[in-house]
Amino acid sequence: MERGTESFDYRQRIFVLFLSPLVGVPILSLGQVTPVNRVLLQGMALFCAVPTTLSSGVAMVGSANGNVALALILTTVTNLLGVFTMPWSMSVIFSGADVEIDGFKMLTSLVIQTLVPLVFGLGLRALQPVEKFAKDKKKILGRCSNCCIFFVVWLNTSASQDKIVHFPLLDLGVVALLAITVHIIYRVSAYLVATAFHFPNKEWVAIVLMCSQKSLPVCVSVMAALPRELQYSTGTMIVPCIMSHFSQLMIDGFLADRWKLDEAGEFEYFKKDYKPLAGGA
């Protein structure tokens, strides 16, 4: 990791875990002034509350020759801390939607579903035979992991197929537009923050890409921890999450190519209007 990364890492965590989830509050308020399906808006608000992507963002940073180490730290730290911040951010976001979320109960559920398996996996990885197997079968294991995620998403949407196919096209169109708009808001905000602090090019790429993405797999975990009155709607709530995930892949895939750095760490097709500060912050 380059010099200065440690000094501004806390700013990114605050942005991802505490500031970006607040976008979900006005999204839920749309249900009071528009006829858009409330469950779809709840799913969109839920997507705003989760941490940054687990793998796609890091892959994009790598393809742009950005600071992959910083991207890995961002996704690891925000997803670990997100287990403890999401229950409370979700309770704040849904406080105006006639839904009561028990933060402590959700925290317990997320710890059991995500933190315990992670710690168990890290413990297994410490064993030499397991570590060797994981390295040798890295591609296969990665594909299996992605297939499991897609399978869970498919099961959720299949359970609500009848509801989804009968949604008005206007509702789906509004949610798709919301998904794009929210990502653009995150993108512009991350761009302004990274530019305002004069981050070096490699860190700038990592911050702008990672701080504006949200994790679809974590959305699935959070839905499993929702109160019972919301459990019946998770198949519908995941629709805007899928739309948002797809929109950020499309937008950021283009930007990662445009912001690609050469071997000297300079942009090939893009020009910033400032010089990085000494020390990276």
Side-chain angles (χ1 to χ4, degrees), residues 48-61:
C48 295
V50 300
T52 190
T53 49
L54 298 172
S55 58
S56 59
V58 177
M60 289 182 186
V61 172

Side-chain angles (χ1 to χ4, degrees), residues 6 54-55 60 161 183 187 195 205 212 225 242 247 264 268 279:
E6 301 90 340
L54 298 172
S55 58
M60 289 182 186
Q161 179 185 3
H183 186 63
R187 168 65 60 245
T195 303
V205 169
S212 57
I242 296 173
S247 66
E268 296 182 5

Side-chain angles (χ1 to χ4, degrees), residues 24-42 96-98 174 178:
V25 176
I27 288 176
L28 279 182
S29 66
L30 291 176
Q32 302 174 2
V33 296
T34 66
V36 178
N37 186 280
R38 185 177 64 175
V39 177
L40 291 176
L41 295 177
Q42 289 173 345
D98 299 326
V174 169
L178 266 179

Side-chain angles (χ1 to χ4, degrees), residues 92-114:
V92 171
I93 291 173
F94 281 82
S95 60
D98 299 326
V99 177
E100 184 177 351
I101 293 181
D102 187 335
F104 184 77
K105 187 175 180 180
M106 178 176 280
L107 172 61
T108 304
S109 179
L110 288 175
V111 168
I112 294 174
Q113 292 181 40
T114 60

Side-chain angles (χ1 to χ4, degrees), residues 77-90:
V77 173
T78 57
N79 278 276
L80 287 175
L81 293 180
V83 172
F84 302 97
T85 62
M86 280 187 293
W88 316 115
S89 60
M90 289 286 293

Side-chain angles (χ1 to χ4, degrees), residues 147-168:
C147 288
C148 288
I149 295 171
F150 291 134
F151 186 65
V152 172
V153 172
W154 175 67
L155 286 177
N156 282 349
T157 53
S158 297
S160 299
Q161 179 185 3
D162 293 340
K163 295 180 181 179
I164 295 173
V165 296
H166 290 98
F167 273 135

Side-chain angles (χ1 to χ4, degrees), residues 12-277:
Q12 305 144 30
R13 295 198 296 265
I14 292 174
F15 182 87
V16 172
L17 297 175
F18 298 102
L19 297 181
S20 61
L22 296 178
V23 178
V25 176
I27 288 176
L28 279 182
S29 66
L30 291 176
Q32 302 174 2
V33 296
T34 66
V36 178
N37 186 280
R38 185 177 64 175
V39 177
L40 291 176
L41 295 177
Q42 289 173 345
M44 189 70 238
L46 183 148
F47 187 81
C48 295
V50 300
T52 190
T53 49
L54 298 172
S55 58
S56 59
V58 177
M60 289 182 186
V61 172
S63 68
N65 296 325
N67 191 328
V68 177
L70 175 58
L72 286 170
I73 288 177
L74 267 173
T75 189
T76 302
V77 173
T78 57
N79 278 276
L80 287 175
L81 293 180
V83 172
F84 302 97
T85 62
M86 280 187 293
W88 316 115
S89 60
M90 289 286 293
S91 62
V92 171
I93 291 173
F94 281 82
S95 60
D98 299 326
V99 177
E100 184 177 351
I101 293 181
D102 187 335
F104 184 77
K105 187 175 180 180
M106 178 176 280
L107 172 61
T108 304
S109 179
L110 288 175
V111 168
I112 294 174
Q113 292 181 40
T114 60
L115 208 55
V116 171
L118 174 62
V119 173
F120 181 73
L122 290 175
L124 284 179
R125 189 68 182 266
L127 301 175
Q128 188 65 29
V130 176
E131 183 179 9
K132 183 178 184 303
F133 176 82
K135 287 183 178 180
D136 293 341
K137 308 294 182 181
K138 183 177 180 180
K139 288 185 178 180
I140 296 177
L141 292 175
R143 291 169 183 170
C144 289
S145 176
N146 291 333
C147 288
C148 288
I149 295 171
F150 291 134
F151 186 65
V152 172
V153 172
W154 175 67
L155 286 177
N156 282 349
T157 53
S158 297
S160 299
Q161 179 185 3
D162 293 340
K163 295 180 181 179
I164 295 173
V165 296
H166 290 98
F167 273 135
L169 290 178
L170 178 62
D171 285 18
L172 295 176
V174 169
V175 171
L177 181 62
L178 266 179
I180 297 173
T181 302
V182 167
H183 186 63
I184 291 176
I185 291 173
Y186 288 156
R187 168 65 60 245
V188 173
S189 300
Y191 180 97
L192 293 176
V193 169
T195 303
F197 287 106
H198 290 211
F199 293 146
N201 292 343
K202 285 182 174 292
E203 283 73 19
W204 187 91
V205 169
I207 292 167
V208 178
L209 286 175
M210 296 299 296
C211 288
S212 57
Q213 295 188 3
K214 297 291 183 176
S215 174
L216 179 60
V218 177
C219 286
V220 176
S221 299
V222 173
M223 287 179 186
L226 289 174
R228 181 173 298 178
E229 58 267 30
L230 291 177
Q231 285 289 332
Y232 302 105
S233 304
T234 55
T236 303
M237 291 174 65
I238 202 170
V239 172
C241 298
I242 296 173
M243 290 181 176
S244 299
H245 182 72
F246 180 78
S247 66
Q248 70 185 17
L249 286 179
M250 294 298 101
I251 295 173
D252 291 355
F254 168 77
L255 292 177
D257 183 66
R258 175 171 171 76
W259 292 339
K260 189 171 184 178
L261 301 171
D262 57 24
E263 294 182 358
E266 299 296 332
F267 289 100
E268 296 182 5
Y269 314 108
F270 176 74
K271 183 178 180 180
K272 294 202 313 251
D273 296 329
Y274 70 84
K275 294 293 184 182
L277 296 179

